[in-house]
Amino acid sequence: MHTNYYFLRQLAPALTERLRGYRVAVCFSQEKDELVIGLTDGSKGFWLKAQLGANFPALALPETFQRARANSVDLFPDLLGEQVETVAAWPQDRVLQLNFRSGARVVFKLYGPRPNAIFRTSPEGPTQLFQQKLLADAELRPQAAATPTAAGKLPPPLADLPLRYLRLQGYDPAPPEAKTRLVNQVLAQLEKPAHYYLIQLDGRTRLSLLPIGDVLETLPGDDPVAALRRFVPMALGRRALEMETKQLRQLLERRADEASTAAVHASKRLHALAHEAGYRHTADLIMANLHDIPAGATQVEVLDFYTGAARVIKLKRTEKPQFTAENLYRKGKNQQIEERQLTERIARREAEALTALERLEEMDTQPALAELRGLRTWRKQHGLDPAPAAGKAPTELPFKVFEDRGFTILVGRNAANNDLLTQKYAHKDDLWLHAKDVTGSHVVIRHRAGQPVPEPVVEHAAQLAGWYSRRQHDTLCPVTVTPKKFVRKPKGALPGQVVVERERVVLVKPGNPFERE
């Protein structure tokens, strides 16, 4: 109710008593949606800070205020030097008006969704708006006062707190005469409050003229200026606490959900690998039945000695069965690596989910987290501080990544991924490699300023280019090596297709040197 008419009508005469004869010394803004007016009587000063954002419109009356040396701008220059005559609240409205002896006036419109400050040098003079997009405020004028009806209907400015208070007093089931009596009792309390209450209701900190919700503090009803000075800093601090608590809870819930989902997916993949006939299993069957496989066969039916059932194994007409088995054994080795990585990933992600859930439980049980300072300290201790936009952690690259002597080697995974690597990620000074005259992965060695790429690094990258190509099983593979700036993609080319304008060729044995290591 800090912007409600029944509070403003108490605040206006208190400000008139404090400010009559004071002159405006400064008027400026140094934060978005904030207007600061400094007044003085020659010996004492008084600060009025209007917060005109839609989330929390308010008049703050700080006892002291330090203007920033930078990032502040003077506003309403014609207001400087004006002498305060009175402060008035518009009838049945959320508007406070400063009247000056010259006829100038400043109107603070404290409507929740669209607050504003309006300055006129005279009652009918031209209008200057703080929120200039709210053009209709230039015509804002006081409306006639409303009164409650005989049936006890509440006037609009009572808003939600008095209505909720009335319902707690039995307003809804009461007969008309009792309703009228209850309304009049509440209006009497609002017009001359004995106390101001700082309350917590529905997760919000509010100023009330009635005892409702969780009462945090009770203040004397004869000093609305002191009540406002106590309420606004508390409300802002608690709003920050509520907002940061909500954001932190959402972060932890998201982390727990993402980690749990990742662990489930990894578990499903591990289960599938464990219950399907693996590459090594198939290779064993081929080698056990090698003497029964005719030359040029495209498939063979064998007895699976692991399961006791017949099984059909597909073969390549142009490839000897022992070579097929050799390739399957190699894939089986990679499958074992994948199973080990999946097991590690499951354990890591389940631990992450458990940690996030434990942090959520701590938020509900630790009393220190009910204060903003305690929450921020706890958040920092557990590495939950929000990262600044410019310092976001880099996301995992969508390529195969290898490190060699301090140089990063990136390998594309498929045609579209090759395009992404070469066209989007690679720098013009990076080295680009590709197995010559066959399809295969694009390989990029990241450039390091002032450091030429050592030949062993080039050789290892060339081996990768041969290994991830159609020349994987050749004895020697020619590989194109060139700076990325000599690689271009013609218009209309298929994914992964490029033209190399200048190159050198190295011969290497295809392989993955990092796997051996």
Side-chain angles (χ1 to χ4, degrees):
M1 295 186 69
H2 65 289
T3 61
N4 185 269
Y5 165 70
Y6 287 98
F7 178 73
L8 296 181
R9 73 194 299 270
Q10 307 295 326
L11 181 63
L15 288 177
T16 297
E17 183 179 349
R18 297 276 189 101
L19 295 180
R20 179 175 281 127
Y22 276 62
R23 294 184 182 275
V24 177
V26 291
C27 180
F28 61 92
S29 178
Q30 63 186 34
E31 292 185 14
K32 183 181 178 182
D33 299 328
E34 175 191 85
L35 175 65
V36 180
I37 298 177
L39 304 105
T40 181
D41 66 350
S43 59
K44 300 186 298 293
F46 192 96
W47 292 97
L48 194 155
K49 183 172 73 170
Q51 298 187 181
L52 302 172
N55 291 330
F56 185 69
L59 288 177
L61 307 174
E63 297 190 48
T64 60
F65 191 88
Q66 292 293 328
R67 182 175 183 177
R69 295 183 178 181
N71 300 323
S72 67
V73 57
D74 291 316
L75 296 175
F76 303 155
D78 295 335
L79 179 60
L80 300 183
E82 292 287 351
Q83 194 170 18
V84 177
E85 178 63 27
T86 60
V87 180
W90 285 14
Q92 307 289 9
D93 210 342
R94 292 167 290 168
V95 179
L96 195 72
Q97 178 172 306
L98 272 67
N99 299 311
F100 299 93
R101 290 180 179 174
S102 67
R105 59 186 58 182
V106 173
V107 174
F108 294 105
K109 186 189 75 168
L110 302 175
Y111 299 175
R114 51 189 191 283
N116 205 355
I118 304 107
F119 171 58
R120 294 187 179 92
T121 55
S122 64
E124 302 303 325
T127 302
Q128 299 178 45
L129 302 176
F130 178 77
Q131 302 283 14
Q132 299 184 19
K133 61 184 178 181
L134 303 178
L135 298 177
D137 288 348
E139 306 302 324
L140 194 66
R141 294 290 188 275
Q143 303 297 317
T147 57
T149 65
K153 183 178 179 181
L154 300 181
L158 281 183
D160 64 322
L161 292 184
L163 182 57
R164 295 176 71 161
Y165 181 78
L166 281 169
R167 285 175 173 163
L168 291 175
Q169 306 302 313
Y171 177 84
D172 287 335
E177 298 80 5
K179 286 184 176 181
T180 301
R181 184 176 66 256
L182 286 171
V183 169
N184 289 333
Q185 289 174 355
V186 169
L187 288 176
Q189 288 179 267
L190 294 175
E191 289 170 357
K192 193 173 182 180
H195 300 94
Y196 297 114
Y197 304 93
L198 305 186
I199 66 169
Q200 185 81 6
L201 185 65
D202 296 337
R204 295 170 57 196
T205 302
R206 305 180 66 178
L207 174 65
S208 175
L209 279 63
L210 301 165
I212 187 173
D214 295 328
V215 177
L216 304 175
E217 289 188 30
T218 301
L219 304 171
D222 59 354
D223 194 350
V225 173
L228 202 57
R229 281 177 170 167
R230 179 73 185 107
F231 164 70
V232 173
M234 174 187 284
L236 290 175
R238 295 185 72 91
R239 281 173 65 87
L241 173 65
E242 292 155 9
M243 181 183 68
E244 292 187 22
T245 299
K246 180 180 178 181
Q247 291 174 344
L248 188 54
R249 189 175 295 279
Q250 289 175 342
L251 171 65
L252 290 170
E253 289 173 350
R254 185 171 65 252
R255 284 189 180 182
D257 183 61
E258 290 176 352
S260 298
T261 302
V264 168
H265 289 328
S267 298
K268 289 180 178 178
R269 174 61 180 160
L270 186 61
H271 183 270
L273 290 175
H275 290 80
E276 68 182 16
Y279 295 117
R280 178 176 291 276
H281 180 166
T282 305
D284 288 344
L285 294 178
I286 293 174
M287 295 304 293
N289 295 275
L290 196 59
H291 60 284
D292 293 329
I293 302 175
T298 58
Q299 66 179 34
V300 61
E301 183 174 347
V302 300
L303 177 66
D304 190 335
F305 46 76
Y306 288 103
T307 63
R311 182 179 166 199
V312 175
I313 300 175
K314 292 184 178 181
L315 302 169
K316 294 182 180 179
R317 185 187 300 276
T318 58
E319 186 176 74
K320 292 182 179 181
Q322 54 265 43
F323 286 166
T324 301
E326 182 181 344
N327 289 335
L328 290 172
Y329 280 127
R330 186 180 295 112
K331 290 182 179 179
K333 180 181 178 182
N334 292 336
Q335 188 177 44
Q336 290 178 337
I337 295 172
E338 182 181 4
E339 290 174 349
R340 184 176 68 251
Q341 291 174 341
L342 286 170
T343 302
E344 294 172 353
R345 185 184 307 166
I346 292 168
R348 183 176 68 254
R349 298 300 268 171
E350 287 179 344
E352 290 174 3
L354 180 61
T355 299
L357 293 174
E358 288 175 346
R359 298 288 177 263
L360 282 169
E361 186 176 351
E362 287 179 28
M363 290 185 67
D364 294 328
T365 57
Q366 290 197 13
L369 304 187
E371 297 294 335
L372 185 59
R373 180 178 295 179
L375 180 72
R376 288 177 174 173
T377 301
W378 180 84
R379 186 180 65 188
K380 187 174 182 179
Q381 287 174 347
H382 294 292
L384 297 172
D385 275 338
K392 289 183 178 178
T395 56
E396 184 178 349
L397 292 172
F399 316 109
K400 296 182 179 73
V401 182
F402 303 91
E403 294 290 335
D404 190 8
R405 294 171 172 80
F407 286 82
T408 301
I409 302 173
L410 305 177
V411 180
R413 297 179 180 272
N414 52 48
N417 196 240
N418 285 339
D419 268 354
L420 181 67
L421 173 59
T422 300
Q423 305 301 323
K424 300 295 184 182
Y425 278 78
H427 185 268
K428 66 176 183 176
D429 292 325
D430 292 345
L431 277 186
W432 184 90
L433 303 91
H434 193 280
K436 192 167 178 62
D437 300 329
V438 294
T439 58
S441 294
H442 295 192
V443 177
V444 167
I445 305 174
R446 281 285 177 86
H447 169 73
R448 297 181 65 182
Q451 298 185 35
V453 181
E455 279 305 312
V457 176
V458 176
E459 181 180 347
H460 288 164
Q463 286 182 280
L464 291 171
W467 182 250
Y468 293 105
S469 78
R470 293 293 295 274
R471 295 186 184 273
Q472 183 182 77
H473 303 300
D474 290 3
T475 304
L476 286 175
C477 173
V479 175
T480 293
V481 182
T482 185
K484 160 59 179 63
K485 61 186 176 184
F486 297 124
V487 180
R488 63 181 179 84
K489 185 174 182 66
K491 185 176 181 180
L494 295 175
Q497 288 185 342
V498 294
V499 173
V500 179
E501 298 176 343
R502 188 182 304 176
E503 66 178 341
R504 70 183 175 101
V505 178
V506 297
L507 286 173
V508 295
K509 181 180 179 180
N512 186 342
F514 306 100
E515 186 175 276
R516 289 200 301 271
E517 292 172 4

